[in-house]
């Protein structure tokens, strides 16, 4: 821009100022121009900190008009650069800070939050070719939740990290294909599902945008292919299961997916921002210690692990995130950027290191999953492989369609199938790296029908249990001596069982099947499979296990969990208060809440508890529990280890939906919005804190305090395989002589059911 053009620009600004001055003389305090508007005013006429209107033509030809204080833009203002860039919005001590709009000469715009000169917060970038991103930003980078519409008609909605798709997201192509699942560094990577517009779909693992690892390809006619996927045909291995339709293609080659199906599903690359708003920030005279933004450099680690410094003028992603989630930013001097901390929401800006000028921005860490991953070398590694091989064989085996009306023969205890798995493979089993073993399926038709009844997709079930990710073993076995394992996606829990428990489950299986079929909202444990692994050789060891639904498979962090029976003897956690954390299961005497359900849910809750207890009583079952998981929706105070978690615990969880009291009531009363809420699953509710009297150690329900908290609840009835056998009768007789008979767990099923209901109906009340 030459001097003549600069003069024209100044004249335009001046005329605009005069027009606004004449139009709104009495309301200037709420517009860009205050009542103290002066053109080229001398700062000496105004005191320190005084905000007034000024216009400035800088030596380089840039032009500013707006609020001014201490010789700096401060408040609302407009800045026009000589190259055609323009910023309109809020300023703080010479930096863009707050709401604003930045425009590029190309026609691209960013409108949203600014912090310290950076696009940072929530904002919308519209590119010159039509790309639009709406969502979260950190230091000029898309980072967090966001959506992007591409100029070619594609669309992405999900998580971003360092300017690229990373985390969970959904990509929709213009041709109707779409992908839902995990991303890494802008590419499909991890577990996910691709659905083609023709109805075909792939569920499984991906690497660098292509299927890699365990996965299932399904056709619209119901046939499917299960196996290990790789672009290298030598590594491809799997089995095709036809649907029985004449149209099934028995000669189908899995490489067709790579060579044909994925060719029209390329990820669109968005346009790059030519120059960043932070690079345009001016060194205003009088700012002590100001550093030219082009001197700001980021650090990233190269493959050798040594830091590599690059200018901000390079690619946008040139900074590093440490393993603890810290964002490392390096400068060429000791620059105090702590003023940028205002409004940084989820970021914590630490002090600079004295030597390297390092700024550490703490990003919310990902919560650690419960349990120990069963990796190679773990004592149960081979058992896990055997289990996964057996499940894949059982579930993937072709079987005729079954009716929900099962024959009595399906429940016969002798209805079981043994399969031998030699390491070299056989006609019916694949080769494997584990030891030789035998696999038993108990009542396979019944459990296949139960999975159908519970709406469990066969391919999804196999991927959850038999996918690339290993199972996780919970830290300690239960009181019964059983071990518990979780799938990586937290959907399923696997429990080892004693022979007596297997007999109880098979005995009660007909009544259990009829009960869960009759009552969709039943709270009793969902069983999906009953199996046995028998090791061959000298050991001849048998391991029996059942696959169940995980009650706490949730998008929310479970902050507190309770196991409630209605008895008091020994019903407290053995941990000291300081050791209690969100994974600790608290018991009856640890309970210090009353759970308040909305009327419609409370009535259904009472009806279902009655039905479930009647069923368990008829089957002579006792010693069951109501397992409850509590997610606190707001940060609350911290008084002791059993009160709602403190802010630090809440900060470590993923962002969760926040509902106002009015929204929550509307959600509960609107039947069209009930899809994500079921009895015991994802239920908005309130809890009221209670306190126990000091003189009554066995008081199960404390006195209400009036302190209420909004929560999301998960609950169900667990441990339903203990019948009132001779051992429990002896335990009852022995403990009754030492303790109050009403306080012990081992009582006959009728008394247990009555006591359990009485307690639960005091712990859960209608929210009035």
């Amino acid at each position: 821009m030459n001097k003549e053009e600069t003069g024209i620009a100044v004249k335009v600004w001046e005329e605009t100022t005069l027009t606004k001055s004449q139009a709104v003389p009495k309301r200037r305090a709420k517009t860009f121009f205050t009542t103290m508007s002066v053109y080229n005013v001398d700062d000496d006429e105004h005191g320190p900190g005084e905000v007034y209107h000024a216009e400035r033509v800088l030596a380089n030809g840039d032009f500013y008009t707006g609020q001014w204080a201490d010789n700096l833009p401060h408040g609302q203002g407009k800045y026009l650069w000589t190259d055609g860039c323009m910023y309109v919005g809020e300023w703080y001590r010479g930096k863009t800070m707050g709401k604003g709009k930045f425009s590029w000469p190309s026609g691209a715009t960013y409108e949203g939050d600014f912090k310290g000169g950076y696009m940072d917060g929530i904002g919308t970038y519209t590119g010159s070719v039509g790309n639009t991103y709406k969502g979260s930003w950190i230091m000029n980078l898309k980072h967090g939740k966001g959506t992007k519409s591409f100029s070619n008609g594609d669309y992405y909605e999900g998580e971003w990290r360092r300017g690229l798709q990373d985390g969970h997201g959904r990509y929709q192509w213009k041709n109707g294909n779409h992908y839902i699942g995990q991303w890494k560094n802008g590419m499909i990577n991890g577990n996910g599902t691709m659905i083609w517009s023709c109805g075909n779909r792939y569920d499984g693992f991906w690497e660098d945008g292509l299927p890699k690892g365990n996965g299932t390809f399904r056709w619209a006619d119901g046939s499917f292919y299960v196996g290990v996927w790789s672009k290298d045909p030598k590594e491809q291995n799997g089995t095709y299961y036809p649907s029985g339709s004449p149209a099934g293609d028995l000669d189908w080659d899995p490489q067709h997916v790579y060579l044909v199906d994925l060719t029209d599903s390329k990820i669109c690359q968005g346009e790059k921002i030519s120059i960043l708003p932070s690079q345009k920030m001016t060194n205003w005279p009088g700012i002590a210690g100001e550093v030219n933004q082009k001197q700001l450099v980021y650090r990233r680690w190269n493959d050798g692990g040594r830091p590599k410094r690059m200018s901000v003028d390079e690619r946008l992603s040139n900074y590093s995130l440490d393993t603890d989630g810290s964002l490392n930013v390096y400068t060429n001097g000791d620059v105090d950027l702590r003023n940028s901390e205002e409004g940084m929401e989820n970021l914590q800006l630490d002090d600079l290191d004295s030597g390297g000028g390092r700024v550490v921005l703490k990003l919310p860490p990902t919560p650690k999953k419960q349990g120990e991953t069963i990796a190679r070398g773990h004592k149960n590694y081979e058992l896990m492989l055997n289990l996964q091989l057996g499940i894949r064989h059982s579930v993937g085996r072709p079987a005729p369609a079954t009716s929900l009306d099962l024959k009595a023969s399906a429940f016969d205890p002798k209805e079981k199938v043994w399969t031998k798995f030699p390491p070299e493979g056989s006609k019916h089993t694949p080769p494997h790296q584990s030891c030789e073993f035998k696999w038993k399926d108990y009542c396979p038709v019944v459990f296949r029908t139960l999975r159908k009844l519970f709406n469990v997709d066969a391919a999804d079930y196999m991927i959850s249990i038999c996918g690339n990710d290993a199972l996780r073993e919970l830290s300690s076995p239960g009181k019964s001596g059983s071990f518990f394992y979780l799938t990586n996606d937290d959907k399923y829990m696997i429990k080892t069982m004693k022979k007596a428990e297997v007999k109880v489950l098979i005995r009660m299986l007909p009544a259990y099947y009829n009960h869960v079929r009759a009552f969709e909202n039943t709270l009793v444990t969902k069983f999906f499979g009953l199996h046995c692994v028998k090791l061959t050789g000298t050991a001849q060891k048998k391991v029996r296990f059942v696959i169940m639904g995980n009650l706490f498979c949730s998008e929310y962090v479970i902050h507190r969990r309770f196991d409630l029976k209605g008895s008091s003897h020994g019903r407290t956690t053995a941990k000291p208060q300081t050791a209690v954390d969100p994974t600790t299961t608290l018991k009856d005497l640890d309970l210090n809440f009353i759970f308040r359900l909305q009327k419609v849910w409370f009535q259904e809750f009472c009806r279902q508890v009655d039905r479930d207890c009647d069923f368990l009583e008829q089957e002579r079952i006792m010693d069951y529990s109501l397992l409850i998981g509590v997610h606190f929706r707001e940060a609350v105070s911290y008084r002791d280890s059993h009160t709602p978690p403190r802010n630090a615990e809440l900060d470590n969880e993923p962002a969760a939906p926040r509902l106002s009291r009015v929204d929550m009531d509307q959600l509960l009363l609107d039947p069209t919005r009930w899809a994500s809420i079921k009895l015991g699953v994802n239920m908005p509710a309130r809890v009221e804190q209670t306190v126990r009297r000091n003189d009554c150690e066995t008081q199960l329900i404390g006195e209400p305090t009036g302190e209420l908290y909004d929560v999301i609840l998960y609950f169900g009835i667990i441990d339903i395989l203990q019948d009132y056998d001779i051992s429990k009768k002896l335990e009852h007789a022995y403990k009754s002589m030492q303790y109050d008979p009403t306080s012990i767990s081992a009582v006959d099923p009728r008394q247990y059911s009555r006591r359990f209901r009485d307690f639960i109906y005091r712990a859960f009340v209608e929210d009035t």
Side-chain angles (χ1 to χ4, degrees):
M1 185 180 287
N2 56 36
K3 291 184 178 179
E4 183 178 350
E5 291 172 327
T6 303
I8 293 172
V10 172
K11 185 173 179 63
V12 170
W13 283 112
E14 196 172 348
E15 289 176 352
T16 305
T17 304
L18 290 173
T19 302
K20 289 182 177 287
S21 174
Q22 294 167 357
V24 284
K26 293 184 179 180
R27 298 175 62 89
R28 292 171 181 254
K30 296 183 179 179
T31 67
F32 264 141
F33 308 103
T34 70
T35 54
M36 296 177 286
S37 291
V38 179
Y39 181 71
N40 239 4
V41 69
D42 188 353
D43 283 300
D44 292 338
E45 298 178 12
H46 300 274
E50 183 178 352
V51 180
Y52 55 94
H53 179 80
E55 296 181 353
R56 291 286 184 268
V57 179
L58 280 72
N60 62 359
D62 294 351
F63 178 76
Y64 173 83
T65 178
Q67 293 178 308
W68 193 266
D70 296 334
N71 205 28
L72 294 169
H74 190 78
Q76 293 282 354
K78 297 183 181 181
Y79 193 107
L80 178 66
W81 284 268
T82 55
D83 63 1
C85 293
M86 183 175 69
Y87 172 80
V88 180
E90 297 176 323
W91 295 74
Y92 180 80
R93 297 183 61 198
K95 288 187 179 290
T96 54
M97 180 81 75
K99 300 290 184 183
K101 182 176 181 179
F102 191 95
S103 305
W104 284 264
S106 63
T109 61
Y110 169 84
E111 187 168 3
D113 295 332
F114 286 82
K115 293 180 184 129
Y118 294 89
M119 299 181 288
D120 198 306
I122 303 298
T124 300
Y125 175 84
T126 304
S128 58
V129 298
N131 294 333
T132 300
Y133 171 82
K134 298 180 181 179
S136 178
W137 299 73
I138 291 181
M139 298 184 74
N140 293 333
L141 300 174
K142 306 175 188 73
H143 194 100
K145 299 282 187 181
T147 62
K148 185 166 185 176
S149 301
F150 296 89
S151 56
N152 67 348
D154 292 356
Y155 178 82
Y156 173 82
E157 178 179 12
E159 297 173 329
W160 298 74
R161 188 174 176 84
R162 292 175 285 182
L164 299 170
Q165 296 101 320
D166 201 301
H168 188 272
R170 180 180 188 274
Y171 194 101
Q172 176 83 42
W173 283 269
K174 184 181 179 180
N175 60 15
N177 300 347
H178 67 273
Y179 168 83
I180 304 173
Q182 295 298 312
W183 296 71
K184 186 176 182 180
N185 295 329
M187 301 185 72
I188 295 174
N189 203 95
N191 195 5
T193 299
M194 170 77 83
I195 301 177
W196 283 265
S197 56
C198 62
N200 296 345
R201 63 184 286 167
Y202 169 83
D203 301 90
F205 290 87
W206 300 72
E207 186 176 292
D208 296 334
L210 297 173
K212 178 74 171 179
N214 288 308
T216 301
F217 190 93
R218 284 180 285 187
W219 286 264
D221 66 358
S223 55
F224 61 95
Y225 173 92
V226 181
V228 177
W229 292 73
S230 175
K231 194 174 182 181
D232 183 353
K234 296 178 182 178
E235 298 177 358
Q236 183 82 34
N237 181 29
T239 306
Y240 175 78
Y241 298 97
S243 64
S245 168
D249 184 6
L250 296 175
D251 297 324
W252 177 79
D253 183 358
Q255 293 298 307
H256 188 273
V257 173
Y258 299 96
L259 300 174
V260 179
D261 294 336
L262 291 173
T263 55
D264 57 353
S265 297
K266 303 296 183 183
I267 305 300
C268 183
Q269 301 299 316
E271 63 180 295
K272 293 185 178 180
I273 301 176
S274 57
I275 191 167
L276 304 172
S278 57
Q279 293 174 256
K280 303 294 292 181
M281 290 299 98
T282 302
N283 292 338
W284 297 96
I287 301 181
E290 185 66 55
V291 170
N292 188 317
Q293 290 295 317
K294 290 190 178 181
Q295 290 181 325
L296 186 65
V297 295
Y298 300 114
R299 181 190 74 167
R300 71 176 179 182
W301 293 99
N302 58 23
D303 293 337
R306 298 176 63 185
K308 181 178 180 182
R309 295 190 172 214
M310 301 187 70
S311 166
V312 74
D313 297 315
E314 303 288 341
R315 293 183 66 239
L316 298 184
S317 58
N318 296 328
Y319 64 84
S320 74
L321 278 95
D322 282 350
T323 55
D324 64 352
S326 300
L327 172 67
N328 298 317
V329 184
Y330 279 74
T331 67
N332 284 345
D334 293 333
V335 186
D336 189 353
L337 300 178
R338 279 173 287 182
N339 285 334
S340 300
E341 188 176 3
E342 287 191 16
M344 280 226 161
E345 296 173 355
N346 290 331
L347 296 179
Q348 301 168 3
L349 191 55
D350 290 351
D351 291 340
L352 295 162
D353 290 347
S354 57
R358 180 172 183 254
V359 184
V360 181
L361 301 179
K362 288 292 184 181
L363 300 176
T366 303
K368 185 178 180 181
K369 288 192 174 184
Q370 187 180 6
E372 176 191 0
T373 300
I374 305 177
R376 187 181 296 274
H378 190 283
K379 63 178 182 179
N380 289 325
Y381 179 72
E382 284 201 348
L383 177 62
M384 179 190 74
L385 294 182
N386 298 346
L387 186 155
Q388 292 177 324
L389 286 164
I391 293 292
R392 181 181 293 177
H393 172 76
S394 299
V395 179
R397 185 172 55 228
T402 57
S403 166
L404 294 180
D405 298 317
L406 297 178
K407 296 180 180 179
S409 59
F411 297 94
D412 190 331
K414 297 178 182 179
E415 186 67 18
K416 51 194 174 187
V417 179
W418 279 103
T419 306
K420 190 176 181 180
F421 280 77
E424 66 276 11
S426 67
K427 182 179 179 180
H428 303 289
T429 62
H432 59 86
Q433 298 177 351
S434 182
C435 61
E436 182 174 325
F437 68 96
K438 288 185 177 180
W439 172 264
K440 182 195 288 188
D441 272 330
Y442 295 92
C443 302
V445 175
V446 176
F447 285 103
R448 187 184 305 119
T449 311
L450 280 171
R451 292 193 293 271
K452 179 180 178 181
L453 196 63
F454 294 139
N455 297 315
V456 174
D457 180 83
D460 292 340
Y461 184 70
M462 278 192 286
I463 289 172
S464 292
I465 301 174
C466 313
N468 279 355
D469 292 312
L471 302 177
R472 304 196 311 277
E473 183 177 84
L474 297 192
S475 56
S476 61
K479 187 177 179 181
S480 64
S482 298
F483 285 85
F484 292 86
Y485 305 94
L486 281 172
T487 57
N488 188 65
D489 58 9
D490 289 331
K491 285 184 178 179
Y492 303 103
M493 180 174 284
I494 300 167
K495 175 189 175 185
T496 61
M497 302 178 71
K498 296 178 180 178
K499 187 175 182 179
E501 291 178 304
V502 173
K503 288 184 176 180
V504 170
L505 178 53
I506 293 176
R507 173 183 61 76
M508 65 183 286
L509 197 54
Y512 172 85
Y513 178 82
N514 291 332
H515 182 75
V516 298
R517 183 182 177 186
F519 303 110
E520 182 182 1
N521 284 334
T522 181
L523 298 175
V524 298
T525 304
K526 290 181 170 62
F527 295 120
F528 301 110
L530 183 61
H531 312 282
C532 177
V533 169
K534 181 180 180 182
L535 302 180
T536 58
T538 56
Q540 294 285 311
K541 179 182 177 183
K542 286 186 179 180
V543 181
R544 303 169 183 86
F545 54 89
V546 65
I547 301 176
M548 310 175 289
N550 178 20
L551 198 59
F552 296 152
C553 178
S554 163
E555 62 181 302
Y556 299 100
V557 173
I558 303 299
H559 295 123
R560 288 291 176 265
R561 52 190 76 196
F562 296 93
D563 180 289
L564 306 178
K565 294 179 181 288
S567 58
S568 59
H569 176 67
R571 297 297 295 163
T572 184
T573 181
K575 287 186 176 182
Q577 290 187 357
T578 53
V580 173
D581 61 28
T583 65
T584 303
T585 301
L586 303 171
K587 300 180 181 179
D588 300 65
L589 293 178
D590 304 313
L591 180 65
N592 59 340
F593 293 112
I594 292 175
F595 302 95
R596 295 187 169 275
L597 304 182
Q598 291 289 320
K599 181 177 180 179
V600 62
W601 287 114
F602 178 70
Q603 292 175 344
E604 176 60 23
F605 171 76
C606 292
R607 283 194 294 265
Q608 194 57 54
V609 168
D610 281 339
R611 294 164 182 155
D612 291 340
C613 286
D614 287 343
F615 157 68
L616 295 172
E617 183 181 332
Q618 290 168 8
E619 293 302 310
R620 303 290 294 165
I621 301 297
M622 42 78 67
D623 216 16
Y624 45 86
S625 310
L626 184 71
L627 184 63
I628 305 172
V630 186
H631 167 83
F632 290 90
R633 292 176 46 238
E634 300 291 345
V636 290
S637 60
Y638 184 80
R639 289 178 174 80
D640 60 57
S641 61
H642 304 332
T643 58
R646 57 185 180 274
N647 295 351
E649 293 178 32
L650 292 169
D651 290 342
N652 288 341
E653 65 174 281
R658 302 289 191 196
L659 302 177
S660 69
R661 180 72 176 153
V662 174
D663 290 338
M664 194 166 78
D665 290 341
Q666 187 177 11
L667 180 66
L668 290 166
L669 296 174
D670 183 1
T672 63
R673 302 177 68 184
W674 285 357
S676 64
I677 301 176
K678 296 180 180 179
L679 186 67
V681 179
N682 201 31
M683 287 188 61
R686 293 198 298 172
V687 295
E688 181 175 4
Q689 196 157 2
T690 62
V691 292
R692 287 186 175 82
R693 298 194 307 270
N694 293 331
D695 60 342
C696 187
E697 295 182 358
T698 59
Q699 182 185 13
L700 290 179
I701 303 294
E703 304 298 330
T705 63
E707 288 191 55
L708 298 169
Y709 306 101
D710 288 331
V711 298
I712 304 292
L713 291 182
Y714 295 82
F715 51 81
I717 298 176
I718 64 168
D719 295 337
I720 62 170
L721 298 180
Q722 179 60 61
D723 62 352
Y724 196 53
D725 58 13
I726 186 63
S727 65
K728 286 295 178 181
K729 292 176 181 178
L730 291 173
E731 179 185 344
H732 171 75
Y734 175 73
K735 288 186 176 180
S736 294
M737 293 186 290
Q738 295 181 304
Y739 310 102
D740 179 359
T742 62
S743 70
I744 61 177
S745 295
V747 295
D748 74 82
R750 178 176 295 181
Q751 182 182 347
Y752 192 94
S753 172
R754 184 169 60 250
R755 185 181 64 186
F756 178 82
R757 286 187 241 198
D758 290 344
F759 173 63
I760 294 303
Y761 294 153
R762 287 189 292 144
F764 283 77
V765 299
E766 182 181 333
D767 194 5
T768 55

